[in-house]
């Protein structure tokens, strides 16, 4: 019996866990997921320092006579042997350690200097323009939780403590196998009855977009020998994705041969349109996604099943894309009992998002996918959706970015 969409996706996610962690250079770390919480090995900043180019002094000495300038601490210099005494000021640059005896820094633009003395023009609050040791992060504090996706800001934090490598969850190597006697690779001559293996390329692009590594296995022909050889090769990767050969035709052998090579089937067929023949299995820990061959079905089932699975293996905590709400521009009617993924154009109307069909919803039509920046997920239980009704959308791109127009 076919699974519901939610049940099929939950089953997949339930079987998968993050890959073992590895250490990568900070330069390679953006987009990766932190495997262990990061505790500050020291305070940040490490020492009190000046937030401005100006003068270090005592707030209480200001507003009367000019202060005698005694000493200079540039960035990179030390405050050793330098001290502020009553009635004196030390010239200091941004980032330089503040000298003993001072409680404030006054920016140079708020001062007047003459004859080795500095006059402070306004009142000064004690503590002004000093960055205090540990004010940002205290030693031992958990600064970045495990499972955090590393952005430039997290990388800056790690680098600020002197790290040049970081422990992150592994990124899967994803084998991609196309199946079909009719397929030729891009660049090869296209003979009668042949079509180009475009699925392998959209899948590789989608895998790469997530940051994982695609492994191109090429084409298996619609016979047991060819399929079992290629499937066995694919099972050496962390994940195997196949396309086509899972429908009801007499040459649709993928599910059979997967079983022969030891893949345990967890489901075959989901109550969705497009994508009904999608199958999922496991050999040991290795997940195998068998996606339908129609290029649009392949792309949509990748988006809805494989994407969250890969994110989970990569250590992400939130793997299911959140829905955005949009109102349907026109009524939509569909079959009750099957969830439908409707390719839509989502635009901002000023009063919320509006979703319009991106064109012919036939899975043979590639152009509709070019126009779509979202997939409306229409629940299985319902058949009629009225114009103006709010539906759930998985965005595929920016709302303003409608892809190829027309
Ligand atoms: P199948 O499920 O094997 O009958 O394939 C369904 C449809 O998808 C057929 O029209 C195939 O020609 C097409 N198809 C299968 N594999 C690919 C591929 N790798 N690239 C593009 N189209 C494909
Ligand atoms: Mg086929």
């Amino acid at each position: 019996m076919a699974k519901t969409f939610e049940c099929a996706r939950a089953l997949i996610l339930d079987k998968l866990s993050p890959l073992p962690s590895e250490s990568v250079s900070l330069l390679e770390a953006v987009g990766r997921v932190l495997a262990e919480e990061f505790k500050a090995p020291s305070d940040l900043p490490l020492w009190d320092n000046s937030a401005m180019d100006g003068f270090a002094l005592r707030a209480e000495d200001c507003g009367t006579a000019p202060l005698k300038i005694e000493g200079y601490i540039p960035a990179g210099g030390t405050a050793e042997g330098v001290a502020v005494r009553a009635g004196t000021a030390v010239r200091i640059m941004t980032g330089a350690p503040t000298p003993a005896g001072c409680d404030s820094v006054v920016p140079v633009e708020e001062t007047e200097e003459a004859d080795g003395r500095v006059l402070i023009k306004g009142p000064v609050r004690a503590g002004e323009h000093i960055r205090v040791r540990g004010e940002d992060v205290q030693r031992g504090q958990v600064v970045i939780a495990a499972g955090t996706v590393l952005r430039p800001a997290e990388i800056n934090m790690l680098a600020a403590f002197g790290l040049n490598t970081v422990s992150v969850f592994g990124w899967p190597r994803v084998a991609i196998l196309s199946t079909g006697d009719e397929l030729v690779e891009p660049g090869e001559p296209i003979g009668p009855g042949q079509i180009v293996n475009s699925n392998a390329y959209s899948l590789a692009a989608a895998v790469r977009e997530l940051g994982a590594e695609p492994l191109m296995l090429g084409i298996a022909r619609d016979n047991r020998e060819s399929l079992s050889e290629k499937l066995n090769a694919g099972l050496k990767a962390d994940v195997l994705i196949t396309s086509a050969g899972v429908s009801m035709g007499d040459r649709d052998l993928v599910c059979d041969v997967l079983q022969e090579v030891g893949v345990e089937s967890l489901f075959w067929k989901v109550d969705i349109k497009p994508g009904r023949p999608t199958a999922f299995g496991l050999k040991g820990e290795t997940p195998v996604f068998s996606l339908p061959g129609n290029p649009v079905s392949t792309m949509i089932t990748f988006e809805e099943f494989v994407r969250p699975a890969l994110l989970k293996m990569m250590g992400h905590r939130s793997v299911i894309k959140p829905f955005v709400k949009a109102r349907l521009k026109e009524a939509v009617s569909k079959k009750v009992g099957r969830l439908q993924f409707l390719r839509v154009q989502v635009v901002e109307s000023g009063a919320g998002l509006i979703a319009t069909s991106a064109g012919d919803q036939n899975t043979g039509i590639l152009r509709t996918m070019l126009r779509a920046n979202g997939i409306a997920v229409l629940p299985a239980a319902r058949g009629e959706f009225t114009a103006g009704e709010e539906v759930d959308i998985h965005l595929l791109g920016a709302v303003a970015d409608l892809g190829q127009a027309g």
Side-chain angles (χ1 to χ4, degrees), residues 182 222 245 252:
E182 73 279 35
D222 292 321
D252 290 333

Side-chain angles (χ1 to χ4, degrees), residues 127-260:
E128 222 167 65
H129 303 306
I130 293 185
R131 303 163 177 160
V132 181
R133 172 182 180 154
E135 73 174 16
D136 190 356
V137 177
Q138 274 136 48
R139 181 165 177 235
Q141 191 181 342
V142 176
V143 198
I144 312 177
T148 302
V149 181
L150 300 177
R151 304 165 303 165
E154 280 77 21
I155 295 198
N156 193 321
M157 182 61 81
L158 297 167
F161 285 100
L163 273 72
N164 57 10
T165 61
V166 59
S167 172
V168 295
F169 289 111
W171 267 4
R173 290 167 313 126
V174 183
I176 295 170
L177 177 63
S178 301
T179 74
D181 285 338
E182 73 279 35
L183 302 177
V184 295
E185 291 291 8
E188 288 176 5
I190 308 170
Q194 295 186 317
I195 64 158
V196 178
N197 170 20
S198 59
N199 283 345
Y201 291 81
S202 66
L203 287 172
V207 164
R208 188 160 274 171
E209 200 171 46
L210 292 180
E213 187 193 341
L215 300 175
M216 304 301 262
L217 290 185
I219 299 165
R221 298 305 172 189
D222 292 321
N223 62 70
R224 289 174 191 276
E225 300 68 43
S226 176
L227 276 167
S228 77
E229 183 202 322
K230 292 283 192 180
L231 290 173
N232 275 319
L235 287 166
K236 298 196 177 101
D238 299 309
V239 179
L240 170 58
I241 306 176
T242 69
S243 76
V246 284
S247 308
M248 301 301 281
D250 57 3
R251 297 217 182 149
D252 290 333
L253 299 171
V254 169
C255 290
D256 265 15
V257 180
L258 277 170
Q259 201 180 351
E260 284 169 25

Side-chain angles (χ1 to χ4, degrees), residues 14-60:
D14 184 52
K15 295 288 177 192
L16 301 178
S17 25
L19 293 172
S21 61
E22 62 191 25
S23 172
V24 297
S25 130
L26 272 198
L27 267 180
E28 308 297 326
V30 71
R32 306 285 305 245
V33 182
L34 192 67
E36 293 149 26
E37 69 179 15
F38 174 66
K39 271 195 186 154
S42 60
D43 289 334
L44 196 70
L46 268 173
W47 21 265
D48 296 356
N49 67 92
S50 175
M52 299 297 264
D53 295 323
F55 293 91
L57 42 71
R58 301 170 358 141
E60 68 193 72

